C-alpha cells in the first residue's frame, strides 16, 4: 500500500499532521496503537507556561526569552514568530472544527485544576473555570463543588479546601456536596468500572434527565457557580450544555483522573475530521521497523501488515515519549525503537535522573534530534523524507516548561509546511 505521507502515531501531533495534509490534497494514513496521551489530558493546551522556572504571562515575550536560553528547544529551532503564527493557525483550525476553546496566544490564563490550584494555560475548554492572569477575584461570589457518591477520581472536598487558600477566592463562599444519581448504582459495586467514561455512557443511555436536573439544582442551593466532574458527555459537550440550559445554573466541568473526557472529546473530533477528509486510520496497529534505501525510508513493516509493507513519499514519526513507547529506556541506553534514530540523550545511565523526585529530570528532555524543517538524523546524517513531531522530539520538558501541547502543534504545522514545500533535499 502506498501513500503520500504515512504518519506513525495518532495523538494530537499525528492527527493535526494528517488533517492539514489531507486538506491540501495529500493521501495520508495514520498508524496508531489506539489510545494516546491526549486521552489522559486535562483538555487544556499549553504553549509555554514556565521559562527558567518563572511563570510566563506574555507568550511572545516568553518564547523570545526561551530562545536565548535553550538552543536545542524545538521552539528555538522554529523561532518565536513561527511558533506564534502556528498557534494562531491552530486557533483558527479549532474554530473551523468547532473545538470549543477559550484563550489566545497573546497571553496565558489560569485554569482551575481538579485539586484546586491555578495552572497557566494557553487554551482551555469553554466549560472549564478560568481566570485572567490579572484577576484579583473569581467572577462568582459563591461556589459549590459537586462530586458523585462513590466516584473516587474526583474529590470535591479537596478541591473546595484548596480553593479557599487562594487569594482570588478569599471572598468566595465555597461548599461541596455529592450527587447520588441512582442510575449509577450498578457501577458502584465495582470500583474499577466506576470511571468517567462508564459514568458518561450510563448517564446518556439510562438516565432520567429531569431527575438529574432537579438533583443538581437541589445540591447547588443558592450557589452562583457549580463545579462538576467531567462525566457528562463522552463524544462532545452537548449533554453538558443541555444540563446547563435545563438547570439555568453557571455549570463548569473539571477533568477527573484519567481517562479524561475533556481530552477524549478532542481526540474523537480530530480523528473524525481526519477520516472525513479521506484519511486512512489504521487503528490497533504498531510499526515494527523501517527499511532504508539510499539514505531514505523506503517502506515500513507493521504488526498487522507484516507481509504487506507500507510505503510513502514521506513519513512522520509521532509516537510520543516514554509514556507511549515512542522512546524506550533499556538498561544501558535509550533508543527510538522504530528507526533507531539519533537522540538528544545522555549515554551515562547515572545522568538520566536526579535524586530529588520533584526536580526536573534530565530524561524528560531526551528525544529525537531534528533540524529546523523537522527532519530527523540517523548515524549523523539527515533523513530527508522522515520527520518527527510532538513529544518524541528531544530538547524540552513538556511537564516542567508547560509546553507539551504547543510543541505538538507547532512541530506538526512546521512539518506539514516542509512536506508541502518538498522538504530540504
Amino acid at each position: 500500500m502506498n501513500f503520500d505521507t504515512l504518519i506513525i502515531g495518532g495523538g494530537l501531533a499525528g492527527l493535526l499532521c494528517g488533517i492539514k495534509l489531507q486538506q491540501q490534497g495529500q493521501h495520508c494514513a495514520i498508524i496508531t496503537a489506539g489510545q494516546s496521551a491526549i486521552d489522559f489530558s486535562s483538555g487544556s493546551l499549553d504553549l509555554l507556561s514556565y521559562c527558567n522556572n518563572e511563570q510566563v504571562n506574555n507568550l511572545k515575550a516568553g518564547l523570545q526569552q526561551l530562545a536565548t536560553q535553550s538552543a536545542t528547544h524545538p521552539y528555538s529551532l522554529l523561532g518565536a514568530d513561527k511558533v506564534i503564527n502556528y498557534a494562531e493557525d491552530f486557533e483558527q483550525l479549532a474554530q473551523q472544527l468547532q473545538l470549543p476553546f477559550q484563550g489566545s496566544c497573546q497571553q496565558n490564563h489560569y485554569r482551575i485544576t481538579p485539586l484546586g490550584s491555578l495552572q497557566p494555560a494557553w487554551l482551555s475548554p469553554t466549560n472549564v473555570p478560568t481566570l485572567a492572569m490579572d484577576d484579583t477575584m473569581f467572577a462568582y461570589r459563591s461556589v459549590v463543588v459537586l462530586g458523585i457518591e462513590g466516584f473516587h477520581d474526583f474529590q470535591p472536598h479537596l478541591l473546595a479546601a484548596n480553593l479557599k487558600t487562594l487569594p482570588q477566592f478569599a471572598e468566595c463562599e465555597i461548599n461541596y456536596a455529592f450527587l447520588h444519581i441512582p442510575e449509577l448504582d450498578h457501577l458502584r459495586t465495582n470500583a474499577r468500572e466506576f470511571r468517567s467514561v462508564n459514568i458518561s455512557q450510563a448517564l446518556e443511555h439510562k438516565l432520567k434527565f429531569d431527575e438529574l436536573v432537579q438533583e443538581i439544582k437541589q445540591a447547588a442551593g443558592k450557589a452562583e457557580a457549580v463545579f462538576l466532574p467531567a462525566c457528562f458527555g463522552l463524544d462532545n459537550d452537548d449533554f453538558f450544555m443541555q444540563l446547563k440550559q435545563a438547570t439555568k445554573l453557571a455549570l463548569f466541568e473539571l477533568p477527573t483522573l484519567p481517562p479524561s473526557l475533556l481530552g477524549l472529546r478532542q481526540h474523537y473530533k480530530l480523528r473524525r475530521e481526519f477520516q472525513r477528509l479521506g484519511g486512512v486510520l489504521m487503528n490497533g496497529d504498531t510499526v515494527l521497523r523501517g527499511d532504508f534505501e539510499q539514505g531514505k525510508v523506503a517502506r515500513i513493516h507493521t504488526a498487522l501488515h507484516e507481509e504487506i509493507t507500507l510505503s510513502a513519499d514521506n513519513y512522520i514519526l509521532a509516537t510520543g515519549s516514554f509514556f507511549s513507547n515512542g522512546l524506550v529506556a533499556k538498561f544501558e541506553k535509550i533508543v527510538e525503537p522504530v528507526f533507531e534514530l539519533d537522540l538528544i540523550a545522555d549515554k551515562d545511565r547515572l545522568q538520566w535522573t536526579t535524586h530529588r523526585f520533584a526536580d526536573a529530570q534530565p530524561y524528560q528532555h531526551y528525544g529525537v534530534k531534528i533540524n529546523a524543517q523537522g527532519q530527523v538524523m540517523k548515524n549523523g546524517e539527515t533523513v530527508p523524507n522522515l520527520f518527527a513531531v510532538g513529544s518524541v522530539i528531544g530538547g524540552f520538558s513538556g511537564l516542567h516548561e508547560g509546553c507539551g501541547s504547543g510543541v505538538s502543534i507547532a512541530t506538526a504545522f512546521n512539518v506539514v509546511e516542509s512536506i508541502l514545500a518538498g522538504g530540504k533535499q
Side-chain angles (χ1 to χ4, degrees), residues 13-26:
L15 283 167
L16 287 176
C17 286
I19 289 170
K20 296 288 283 185
L21 288 170
Q22 287 286 150
Q23 287 178 336
Q24 297 301 314
Q26 283 218 354

Side-chain angles (χ1 to χ4, degrees), residues 351-386:
Q351 302 301 314
W352 296 358
T353 59
T354 60
H355 293 296
R356 190 171 184 274
F357 178 79
D359 287 347
Q361 300 293 328
Y363 75 85
Q364 294 169 341
H365 291 79
Y366 297 167
V368 172
K369 289 182 181 178
I370 62 169
N371 60 18
Q373 288 73 41
Q375 293 159 316
V376 305
M377 300 184 70
K378 182 177 173 67
N379 300 325
E381 299 292 331
T382 299
V383 184
N385 70 334
L386 178 57

Side-chain angles (χ1 to χ4, degrees), residues 18-92:
I19 289 170
K20 296 288 283 185
L21 288 170
Q22 287 286 150
Q23 287 178 336
Q24 297 301 314
Q26 283 218 354
H27 182 39
C28 303
I30 292 177
I31 304 163
T32 174
Q35 283 189 315
S36 66
I38 192 174
D39 298 331
F40 301 87
S41 74
S42 68
S44 292
L45 305 180
D46 44 22
L47 191 62
L48 182 65
S49 299
Y50 300 95
C51 182
N52 197 24
N53 295 322
E54 294 184 358
Q55 183 176 287
V56 173
N57 296 345
N58 183 289
L59 283 164
K60 188 170 184 178
L63 290 167
Q64 290 171 340
Q65 181 184 356
L66 178 68
T68 66
Q69 297 176 353
S70 178
T72 60
H73 198 289
Y75 287 164
S76 299
L77 295 176
L78 271 59
D81 290 339
K82 259 194 172 183
V83 173
I84 291 294
N85 289 339
Y86 292 145
E88 291 173 344
D89 290 346
F90 176 79
E91 291 172 8
Q92 293 177 8

Side-chain angles (χ1 to χ4, degrees), residues 26-329:
Q26 283 218 354
H27 182 39
C28 303
I30 292 177
I31 304 163
T32 174
Q35 283 189 315
S36 66
I38 192 174
D39 298 331
F40 301 87
S41 74
S42 68
S44 292
L45 305 180
D46 44 22
L47 191 62
L48 182 65
S49 299
Y50 300 95
C51 182
N52 197 24
N53 295 322
E54 294 184 358
Q55 183 176 287
V56 173
N57 296 345
N58 183 289
L59 283 164
K60 188 170 184 178
L63 290 167
Q64 290 171 340
Q65 181 184 356
L66 178 68
T68 66
Q69 297 176 353
S70 178
T72 60
H73 198 289
Y75 287 164
S76 299
L77 295 176
L78 271 59
D81 290 339
K82 259 194 172 183
V83 173
I84 291 294
N85 289 339
Y86 292 145
E88 291 173 344
D89 290 346
F90 176 79
E91 291 172 8
Q92 293 177 8
L93 178 64
Q95 289 183 352
Q96 294 170 11
L97 301 184
Q98 297 183 339
L99 283 169
F101 282 118
Q102 55 184 317
S104 81
C105 59
Q106 301 304 312
Q107 186 164 355
N108 279 327
H109 61 265
Y110 286 124
R111 66 177 178 91
I112 298 174
T113 74
L115 287 179
S117 63
L118 298 180
Q119 180 66 33
W122 158 37
L123 297 174
S124 291
T126 53
N127 295 326
V128 170
T130 62
L131 296 90
M133 285 285 184
D134 55 359
D135 280 349
T136 57
M137 292 187 297
F138 188 53
Y140 299 90
R141 300 275 68 81
S142 58
V143 176
V144 64
V145 184
L146 300 182
I148 298 173
E149 287 182 11
F151 180 52
H152 301 306
D153 292 349
F154 183 82
Q155 299 291 330
H157 58 292
L158 291 177
L159 172 55
N162 288 331
L163 282 178
K164 291 178 181 179
T165 68
L166 300 176
Q168 292 90 339
F169 289 84
E171 298 182 13
C172 291
E173 178 187 352
I174 304 174
N175 297 298
Y176 70 92
F178 290 89
L179 301 171
H180 175 64
I181 313 179
E183 286 79 10
L184 300 180
D185 285 344
H186 69 288
L187 293 177
R188 292 186 175 92
T189 60
N190 187 344
R192 287 181 295 182
E193 296 297 323
F194 206 14
R195 295 287 183 261
S196 58
V197 172
N198 306 77
I199 292 172
S200 178
Q201 291 171 334
L203 293 184
E204 290 198 61
H205 299 294
K206 301 178 182 179
L207 180 70
K208 297 177 181 178
F209 183 79
D210 292 340
E211 292 183 8
L212 175 61
V213 169
Q214 291 305 314
E215 187 173 0
I216 292 175
K217 291 175 69 173
Q218 183 175 356
K222 296 183 179 179
E224 296 178 11
V226 180
F227 292 176
L228 292 165
C231 297
F232 303 92
L234 178 58
D235 290 337
N236 51 54
D237 66 350
D238 289 351
F239 184 75
F240 182 83
M241 297 306 292
Q242 291 171 17
L243 280 178
K244 193 171 184 177
Q245 182 176 7
T247 60
K248 295 181 171 59
L249 295 170
L251 299 185
F252 297 92
E253 54 184 347
L254 289 165
T256 66
L257 287 178
S260 164
L261 293 197
L262 296 172
L264 283 168
R265 291 173 191 166
Q266 295 167 10
H267 192 180
Y268 293 161
K269 182 157 286 191
L270 292 172
R271 193 168 61 188
R272 287 194 295 266
E273 178 64 11
F274 173 70
Q275 292 177 299
R276 187 191 72 81
L277 291 168
V280 177
L281 187 67
M282 299 181 180
N283 204 21
D285 204 355
T286 304
V287 177
L288 302 177
R289 67 186 187 280
D291 296 337
F292 288 80
E293 292 179 1
Q294 299 178 345
K296 299 173 67 174
V297 180
R299 66 195 68 85
I300 58 175
H301 305 258
T302 75
L304 297 183
H305 301 86
E306 193 167 6
E307 301 301 322
I308 305 173
T309 59
L310 307 178
S311 60
D313 297 328
N314 293 288
Y315 301 79
I316 300 175
L317 187 68
T319 47
S321 188
F322 298 97
F323 176 78
S324 53
N325 292 322
L327 300 172
V328 175

